[in-house]
Amino acid sequence: VMVSMAHLQEEKLRLQDELLGLREKLAARENDELSRSLKLQGQVEALKAKLLEQAQEISRLHSELGGTDAEKHRDLLAAENERLRQEMKVCEGELRELRRQQQQEPCQDCAHLQENTELQERLCQLQREAEETRTRLAELDLEVQQKTNRLAEVELRLKDSLAERAEEEERLSRRLRDSQETIASLKSQPQQIKYIIKTVEVESAKAKQALCETQSRNQYLQEQVAMQRQVLKEMEQQLQNSQKTVAQLRAQITMYEAELEQAHGQMLEEMQAMEEEKNHAIEEAFSRAQVEMKAVHENLAGVRTNLLTLQPALRTLTHDYNSLKRQVRDFPLLLQEALRNARAEIGQAIEEVHSTNRELLRKYRRELQLRKKCHNELVRLKGNIRVFGRVRPITKEDGEGPEAANAVTFDANDDAVLHLLHKGKQVSFELDKVFPPQASQEEVFQEVQALITSCIDGYNVCIFAYGQTGAGKTYTMEGTAANPGINQRALQLLFSEVRSKAADWDYAISVSAAEIYNETLRDLLGKEPHEKLEIKLCPDGSGQLYVPGLTEFPVQCVEDINKVFEHGHVNRVTECTNLNEHSSRSHALLIITVRGLDRSTGLRTTGKLNLVDLAGSERVGRSGAEGSRLREAQHINKSLSALGDVIYALRSRQGHVPFRNSKLTYLLQDSLSGDSKTLMMVQVSPAEKNTSETLCSLKFAERVRSVELGPGSRKAELGSWPSQEQLEGDTPGTPTPSGRGHASPSPGHLSGRTTSIRRKLQTSG
Ligand code: ADP
Ligand code: MG
């Protein structure tokens, strides 16, 4: 331990020395710097002095000369002066730099200082360890000393006791010898001896006991000696142990030293390696940089040449770019301008279109109104109630012979006149239009289609087919599948009209079919065809009539119409076994309702087209019919007369129109009054055998027609409608017995006014 401590101490001293050396070096350097700075300061001082001198010289020269040479010299000196001043500034800068360096210097030895402190710390630690070992050693020494002392003491005592024992033994052996001599002497003197022996023997026992005690004591002492020896041995052992520990510690110290040495060496090596590495890296970087530099130089050269070639292109590009830039700058303005112009133009155009549209719409409405007015006027001129006649051809059913001979002829120049040969006399009738047998369904329809289209405009229209059974009423209204009549054609026309107006109007067309038999109204499209329907006033107080429970079928195409007709026929057929007979005794009604909405004005219209196939007008009452046949005939007569009355009252504009006299007129009240239009198609048979019925029908037609309108003539024409019987009783060509002032059916009595109106209508289309 001592040696290691000494070693460490030495190391410490060495390090301290090193530190001292470094400090000295630093101080020396500082001194050096100081001296340098002093020198520089001196220099500065000298320069300043020189400067001063020069200044003085200048002033001297100034004062001495005052001439141009002097001035030159002065300038020179001033330049010198300036130079010196610059030099001085440089020197001062240097000085400042040095001072700054000086301030920074101490930091440069940082690595050494750190190492030093580390080593000092290590030294301290080792010193501490040595101190500990030393104290432990001292403790052990003290213990050894104590144990040695005790051992010496024990030895001394042992020696004493040994000496004592030896003395005792001496004494005892002496006594033994004495005793034996005594015994021997006593043996010679037996008596005495015996006693003596006894005594001796007694005495000898005592001695023996003492001897024993002594021996045991001796034994004890010897044991103690052994024990002490043991203790001594242990002590020695301990001492050995301590010595071993010391040796171990020493070994540790050496080990530490070795480690320290090694670490130092490693550090040095590492530093060396790092230094080498650094140098190597620097070299490498340098070479790389050189290579890169070379490459860069080469690149630069290439780029330079490129640049040279690119310059003209760049120039043109720049030029282009500038012009484009200008254009781009100007473009939004141009665009805005153009947009503004375009917008203005478009706005103007739109405005124009708008105004044109408005104008057109206004004109269109005006035209619409005008058209309606014209139409009304036309209808008014034609008469709201018009009467056409249609003569069917002679058919096989008419038979042959004189009975089937033709009794009807026509005027080649006037399509409104027809001549009937009745009982050898020719009677002429003028109607609004007469269709000869060869007139086709199309031609007939052509004449009525204006009436039908007015239904779309919201007018109510009635078309009646009147005439005796077999005169062609059903043919005209329904027609055949191959050649349909007014019903189907009317619906088709309505569909096409509605389609053509679909751009502005929304239309809905619906159909109802009904039958009036014996003054009973039945729904032909309903589920209960036998049910009696009532005609009622609308509960809304509008005065309109309606039939609760009457089925309305919406229709949109021809297929729908066919379905409706089929349905109606089926219902009619199921009602009776003989359709022809039944249909001749009942009125068949097809009611088409057209509801429209003008999308631009919101105007709503409702028009009703009533197509009525009337019951046969033949007179039966006369022939003495009875029972149901008579009742039927009476009902038919009554309803046809009522129809005549109503039409007459309407045409003559009477205040009271007797709509309620029959189911038919009551049901058609809306469609007969007001702006409504009525067409009476009077069907006649041309056969000789039917002339009297034909005559009746034509009379009915002419009378309906001859109730001519006109404020002046109206009152004069007022009168009651002739009953069916009266019609029957009338003889052709003679004035009616009732004394009514209407024109006579003969062509000669035709009023000039009526003819002129008719002509007017014909020319106006
Ligand atoms: P109504 O219904 O008045 O009793 P119909 O329409 O049944 O009479 O006609 C009787 C017959 O005369 C039918 O066979 C029908 O085809 C025929 N007929 C009627 N009018 C014409 C006509 N204009 N052209 C050809 N045939 C007709
Ligand atoms: Mg019929």
Side-chain angles (χ1 to χ4, degrees), residues 234-272:
E234 276 173 18
M235 290 287 175
E236 274 170 354
Q237 190 71 37
Q238 271 186 359
L239 190 66
Q240 264 175 7
N241 283 351
S242 295
Q243 274 167 350
K244 256 186 215 160
T245 318
V246 168
Q248 270 177 1
L249 284 169
R250 236 172 238 156
Q252 251 181 340
I253 288 168
T254 34
M255 209 172 69
Y256 284 148
E257 275 173 354
E259 266 177 31
L260 200 68
E261 194 73 25
Q262 206 181 341
H264 195 72
Q266 264 181 2
M267 200 174 74
L268 281 176
E269 265 171 30
E270 270 173 29
M271 264 167 73
Q272 189 77 22

Side-chain angles (χ1 to χ4, degrees), residues 735-760:
T736 48
S738 58
R740 287 187 310 245
H742 66 75
S744 133
S746 70
H749 293 96
L750 279 177
S751 110
R753 192 172 156 269
T754 317
T755 316
S756 76
I757 288 170
R758 189 166 50 74
R759 298 259 175 252
K760 214 161 135 195

Side-chain angles (χ1 to χ4, degrees), residues 102-129:
Q102 230 171 346
Q103 276 167 2
Q104 282 175 354
E105 205 77 307
C107 294
Q108 281 174 350
D109 283 341
C110 253
H112 284 291
L113 272 179
Q114 202 180 341
E115 202 182 338
N116 194 7
T117 43
E118 265 177 33
L119 284 171
Q120 268 177 348
E121 267 173 26
R122 183 113 184 84
L123 185 68
C124 278
Q125 199 188 342
L126 285 172
Q127 272 177 345
R128 267 201 304 280
E129 274 176 26

Side-chain angles (χ1 to χ4, degrees), residues 390-393 395 397 436-441 466-477 480 580 583-584 613-614 616 683:
R390 189 179 187 184
V391 183
R392 71 157 170 80
T395 58
E397 282 78 39
Q438 63 274 15
S440 67
Q441 299 278 63
Y466 181 96
Q468 72 172 115
T469 300
K473 297 185 294 295
T474 305
Y475 184 84
T476 296
M477 298 311 275
T480 58
N580 251 342
S583 71
S584 73
D613 186 351
L614 291 168
Q683 296 284 151

Side-chain angles (χ1 to χ4, degrees), residues 444-480:
V444 175
F445 186 70
Q446 208 117 47
E447 280 302 312
V448 299
Q449 72 180 20
L451 215 58
I452 285 159
T453 46
S454 75
C455 178
I456 293 173
D457 297 329
Y459 290 101
N460 290 340
V461 178
C462 284
I463 299 175
F464 297 101
Y466 181 96
Q468 72 172 115
T469 300
K473 297 185 294 295
T474 305
Y475 184 84
T476 296
M477 298 311 275
E478 286 178 21
T480 58

Side-chain angles (χ1 to χ4, degrees), residues 346-629:
I346 288 169
Q348 205 179 335
I350 287 172
E351 193 54 44
E352 276 171 23
V353 166
H354 265 298
S355 61
T356 320
N357 267 355
R358 268 198 299 275
E359 181 69 12
L360 282 173
L361 203 68
R362 196 179 57 75
K363 278 183 182 166
Y364 167 71
R365 293 217 178 104
R366 217 185 53 202
E367 285 302 316
L368 217 64
Q369 278 178 346
L370 216 64
R371 188 184 148 215
K372 208 166 171 183
K373 232 165 86 184
C374 286
H375 187 83
N376 287 344
E377 188 66 15
L378 180 76
V379 172
R380 197 183 62 75
L381 288 169
K382 277 186 173 178
N384 267 347
I385 297 165
R386 283 190 291 160
V387 184
F388 289 173
R390 189 179 187 184
V391 183
R392 71 157 170 80
I394 302 277
T395 58
K396 277 180 195 158
E397 282 78 39
D398 292 325
E400 278 171 23
E403 277 208 331
N406 182 32
V408 179
T409 49
F410 302 90
D411 191 325
N413 301 314
D414 196 338
D415 63 355
V417 176
L418 145 165
H419 312 288
L420 173 71
L421 193 68
H422 178 61
K423 294 180 182 166
K425 282 184 196 168
Q426 181 169 304
V427 194
S428 296
F429 294 92
E430 187 188 356
L431 305 175
D432 291 313
K433 170 110 185 154
V434 173
F435 296 100
Q438 63 274 15
S440 67
Q441 299 278 63
E442 278 96 2
E443 280 169 57
V444 175
F445 186 70
Q446 208 117 47
E447 280 302 312
V448 299
Q449 72 180 20
L451 215 58
I452 285 159
T453 46
S454 75
C455 178
I456 293 173
D457 297 329
Y459 290 101
N460 290 340
V461 178
C462 284
I463 299 175
F464 297 101
Y466 181 96
Q468 72 172 115
T469 300
K473 297 185 294 295
T474 305
Y475 184 84
T476 296
M477 298 311 275
E478 286 178 21
T480 58
N483 205 1
I486 293 173
N487 288 3
Q488 196 158 340
R489 285 172 202 268
L491 277 164
Q492 278 181 9
L493 177 70
L494 287 176
F495 288 145
S496 74
E497 285 288 305
V498 160
R499 259 201 302 280
S500 73
K501 289 175 103 178
D504 308 305
W505 287 79
D506 287 328
Y507 281 108
I509 302 174
S510 59
V511 171
S512 301
E515 181 190 71
I516 297 172
Y517 173 67
N518 280 350
E519 288 299 277
T520 306
L521 180 65
R522 293 198 309 127
D523 182 10
L524 290 180
L525 300 181
K527 286 184 182 117
E528 294 290 334
H530 305 286
E531 207 181 324
K532 241 170 110 173
L533 294 178
E534 292 299 323
I535 302 161
K536 292 192 170 161
L537 265 173
C538 269
D540 59 4
S542 61
Q544 300 255 322
L545 295 169
Y546 82 110
V547 182
L550 182 64
T551 311
E552 255 192 49
F553 240 85
V555 288
Q556 278 164 346
C557 55
V558 185
E559 284 78 55
D560 293 345
I561 307 167
N562 291 338
K563 241 186 270 172
V564 169
F565 289 163
E566 223 166 87
H567 200 72
H569 275 294
V570 168
N571 276 341
R572 243 183 148 188
V573 169
T574 51
E575 176 58 21
C576 59
T577 45
N578 188 343
L579 174 64
N580 251 342
E581 208 169 292
H582 174 79
S583 71
S584 73
R585 291 166 205 167
S586 64
H587 310 300
L589 291 102
L590 182 72
I591 304 163
I592 302 166
T593 312
V594 183
R595 293 185 179 89
L597 166 70
D598 185 348
R599 281 199 294 275
S600 65
T601 61
L603 185 77
R604 284 180 188 279
T605 61
T606 306
K608 246 193 226 171
L609 175 63
N610 303 278
L611 302 166
V612 189
D613 186 351
L614 291 168
S617 61
E618 58 272 11
R619 319 277 89 82
V620 284
R622 237 182 356 172
S623 55
E626 282 171 27
S628 66
R629 188 73 188 93

Side-chain angles (χ1 to χ4, degrees), residues 47 95 125 147 180 216 273 346 433 437 457 464 533 554 565 582 598 650 653 669 695 718:
L47 284 168
L95 187 64
Q125 199 188 342
K147 288 200 174 153
Q180 280 170 342
S216 68
I346 288 169
K433 170 110 185 154
D457 297 329
F464 297 101
L533 294 178
F565 289 163
H582 174 79
D598 185 348
L650 285 168
R653 305 214 170 142
Q669 182 174 342
L695 188 70
L718 282 177

Side-chain angles (χ1 to χ4, degrees), residues 696-726:
C696 280
S697 297
L698 287 170
K699 272 185 189 167
F700 176 87
E702 191 159 62
R703 275 170 196 161
V704 166
R705 210 191 134 257
S706 64
V707 188
E708 193 44 82
L709 301 175
S713 62
R714 204 177 59 191
K715 267 204 178 96
E717 285 166 2
L718 282 177
S720 80
W721 185 254
S723 71
Q724 290 289 336
E725 282 73 22
Q726 281 172 326

